[in-house]
């Protein structure tokens, strides 16, 4: 690491101060990754944005040199997804998903999202206090993504436990992550089998039915795609909502502005995603050849991580970047990616977050933290930014 006193633990504990120090010191750093293996970390906005769209940087683990960090260790039936592929396979699968994941399908979810939000708030209302993460921010996206995929209510397992086991594995219980992977694989294999027998009006049934000559999905690709849609659509949106609520409750002037002008929520999504997004780091990449970034040469096959959280707070791109400003005019945050890997689910995440925040603030005008902000704890993960709980009163 070029800044030897800045450890992974320090970045987890206080990421934005840590990334600011790294940005100031150099554009690219050699660091110890989440699993103790060396990685290259890119911290400045211009470099991160360019690297996100650089075709020389592969997502395919086949381009990784031995002994490098490779990310999640998943079986092939869950690993053949858009986050591990390059063109032409990535192009083929993204085209097939786009055919099924249409703007019309997303728009049709607005009414159900609004109904679920109100039902969850109805259940919270008599209590006067709650863990907003468990009572609202988590169940809303899981209901939406299960409706989108066509997961029957009786089959909606504890996805939060599964995703937590992958994102923040307990080093003393490595079997938990393995069990979560096995449970998810069994779940999706069974669900796809049932959908083949009895298809419905849902995204998963449409993906099963997609046939495009030689471009059809393989079985592993189909299973992996279902896993990715649920994992990314649930995991990221949960923490987008919770992080946005925390940002508002710790910035009373912005909360007051939003209460005075509720329509601001329609443009606030991008500022919340920039200010404290749920994915501080990009998916790891492997250079196909030696690549020079910010004057630093990264050898072919080594692991490269792009610090999205750092880029989103880069003062060369955003004025006063550590300030939450719902009227901010600068655009271009990288929380949803850039280039061919830009998030397919971005319109749905935007709509869910806007509806969730609008309904919450309308129903509970006196919403406040129920503990001092210093007592809040984030998950001990470098690659994910999310609270363990968010106690509120109202």
């Amino acid at each position: 690491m070029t800044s030897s006193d800045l450890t992974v633990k320090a970045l987890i504990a206080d990421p934005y101060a840590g990334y600011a120090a790294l940005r100031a010191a150099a554009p690219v750093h050699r660091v110890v990754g989440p699993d103790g293996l060396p990685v290259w970390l890119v911290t400045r906005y211009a470099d991160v944005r360019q690297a996100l769209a650089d075709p020389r940087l592969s997502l395919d683990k086949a381009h990784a040199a031995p002994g490098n960090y490779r990310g999640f260790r998943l079986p092939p039936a869950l690993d053949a997804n858009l986050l591990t592929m390059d063109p032409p396979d990535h192009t083929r699968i993204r085209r097939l998903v786009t055919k099924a994941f249409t703007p019309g399908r997303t728009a049709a979810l607005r009414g159900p999202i609004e109904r679920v939000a109100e039902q969850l708030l109805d259940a919270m209302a008599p209590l006067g206090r709650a863990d907003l993460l468990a009572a609202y921010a988590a169940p809303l996206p899981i209901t939406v993504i299960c409706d989108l995929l066509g997961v029957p209510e009786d089959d909606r397992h504890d996805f939060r436990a599964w995703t937590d086991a992958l994102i923040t594995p307990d080093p003393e219980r490595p079997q938990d992550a393995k069990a979560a992977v096995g449970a998810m694989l069994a779940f999706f294999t069974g669900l796809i089998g049932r959908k083949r027998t009895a298809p419905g009006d849902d995204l998963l049934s449409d993906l099963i039915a997609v046939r495009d000559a030689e471009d059809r999905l393989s079985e592993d690709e189909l299973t992996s795609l279902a896993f990715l849609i649920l994992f990314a659509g649930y995991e990221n949106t949960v923490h987008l909502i919770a992080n946005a609520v925390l940002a508002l409750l710790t910035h009373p002037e912005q909360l007051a502005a939003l209460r005075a002008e509720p329509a601001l929520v329609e443009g606030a999504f991008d500022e919340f995603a920039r200010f404290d997004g749920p994915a501080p780091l990009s998916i790891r990449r492997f250079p196909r050849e030696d690549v020079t970034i910010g004057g630093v040469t990264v050898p072919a096959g080594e692991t490269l991580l792009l610090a999205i959280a750092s880029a989103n707070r880069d003062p060369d791109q955003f004025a006063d970047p550590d300030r939450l400003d719902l009227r901010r005019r600068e655009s271009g945050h990288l929380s949803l990616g850039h280039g061919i890997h830009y998030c397919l689910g971005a319109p749905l995440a935007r709509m869910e977050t806007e509806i969730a925040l609008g309904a919450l603030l309308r129903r509970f005008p006196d919403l406040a933290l129920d503990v001092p902000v210093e007592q809040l704890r984030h998950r001990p993960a470098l690659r994910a930014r999310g609270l363990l709980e968010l106690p509120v009163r109202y």
Side-chain angles (χ1 to χ4, degrees):
M1 203 165 190
T2 54
S3 300
S4 58
D5 60 331
L6 198 56
T7 65
V8 168
K9 287 184 178 180
L11 285 176
I12 292 172
D14 192 357
Y16 297 109
Y19 285 126
L22 288 174
R23 273 195 316 271
V28 182
H29 297 258
R30 182 74 158 164
V31 305
V32 176
D35 59 357
L37 296 173
V39 301
W40 295 88
L41 184 67
V42 183
T43 59
R44 295 178 184 172
Y45 180 90
D47 296 323
V48 171
R49 187 176 189 275
Q50 184 175 1
L52 283 169
D54 191 332
R56 297 173 300 171
L57 303 179
S58 173
L59 293 178
D60 188 342
K61 296 175 185 177
H63 292 283
N68 279 271
Y69 168 69
R70 297 185 176 205
F72 287 152
R73 290 173 175 82
L74 296 172
L78 296 180
D79 208 31
N81 61 62
L82 292 170
L83 299 185
T84 63
M85 289 180 173
D86 304 322
D89 283 338
H90 177 274
T91 306
R92 170 178 59 86
I93 291 181
R94 189 174 175 107
R95 182 170 63 245
L96 294 175
V97 178
T98 302
K99 286 182 178 181
F101 199 175
T102 62
R105 187 182 292 281
T106 299
L109 289 170
R110 175 171 290 276
I113 294 171
E114 291 173 341
R115 286 193 293 275
V116 172
E118 293 298 335
Q119 290 167 0
L120 293 170
L121 295 172
D122 285 344
M124 287 173 55
L127 305 177
R129 52 175 26 96
D131 172 8
L132 195 73
L133 193 67
Y136 188 61
L140 177 61
I142 196 59
T143 302
V144 172
I145 208 70
C146 284
D147 285 347
L148 177 68
L149 285 172
V151 180
E153 289 193 18
D154 291 345
D155 290 340
R156 296 181 183 184
H157 300 274
D158 192 353
F159 297 114
R160 187 179 176 192
W162 290 348
T163 57
D164 281 349
L166 288 181
I167 292 290
T168 54
D170 185 344
E172 296 183 0
R173 295 180 57 84
Q175 70 274 15
D176 290 354
K178 185 176 180 180
V181 169
M184 284 188 284
L185 179 56
F187 169 74
F188 283 113
T189 300
L191 180 63
I192 289 170
R194 292 192 295 276
K195 289 289 178 185
R196 277 207 170 94
T197 303
D201 182 18
D202 55 73
L203 177 60
L204 186 53
S205 294
D206 285 355
L207 289 173
I208 292 170
V210 163
R211 293 293 181 266
D212 197 16
E214 70 278 6
D215 287 346
R216 62 181 291 175
L217 292 167
S218 72
E219 196 66 17
D220 280 354
E221 288 169 349
L222 176 61
T223 308
S224 296
L225 191 54
F227 160 73
L228 176 63
I229 291 170
L230 186 140
F231 187 89
Y234 163 66
E235 169 70 20
N236 288 337
T237 308
V238 169
H239 298 293
L240 256 174
I241 294 170
N243 291 359
V245 173
L246 176 60
L248 285 172
L249 296 181
T250 53
H251 292 79
E253 76 291 347
Q254 295 299 304
L255 179 57
L258 187 53
R259 290 198 184 284
E261 191 179 344
L264 268 179
V265 75
E266 295 179 7
F269 171 88
D270 289 302
E271 177 65 352
F272 290 127
R274 180 202 71 83
F275 183 77
D276 196 15
L281 298 173
S282 70
I283 299 298
R284 76 287 171 276
R285 284 160 164 77
F286 312 106
R288 300 170 184 265
E289 60 191 63
D290 292 359
V291 174
T292 299
I293 301 174
V296 177
T297 298
V298 179
E302 299 207 354
T303 303
L304 193 70
L305 292 175
L306 309 177
I308 304 296
S310 178
N312 285 342
R313 296 282 190 105
D314 189 338
D316 287 343
Q317 177 67 22
F318 302 100
D320 199 3
D322 294 324
R323 178 172 61 91
L324 180 71
D325 181 3
L326 301 188
R327 299 183 187 275
R328 184 178 293 276
R329 292 295 177 260
E330 303 106 326
S331 60
H333 72 83
L334 300 175
S335 294
L336 299 171
H338 173 64
I340 65 171
H341 296 290
Y342 185 81
C343 178
L344 265 173
L348 179 58
R350 183 182 299 273
M351 184 167 66
E352 282 185 79
T353 303
E354 291 174 356
I355 290 171
L357 293 177
L360 177 69
L361 297 179
R362 184 181 64 254
R363 289 287 298 270
F364 302 139
D366 57 347
L367 186 73
L369 284 175
D370 202 29
V371 297
V373 67
E374 296 79 13
Q375 291 185 17
L376 295 176
R377 295 183 300 132
H378 286 83
R379 294 186 300 173
L382 185 64
R383 60 194 174 198
R385 174 76 172 166
L387 292 159
L388 292 172
E389 58 181 8
L390 182 55
V392 296
R393 63 178 184 275
Y394 42 89

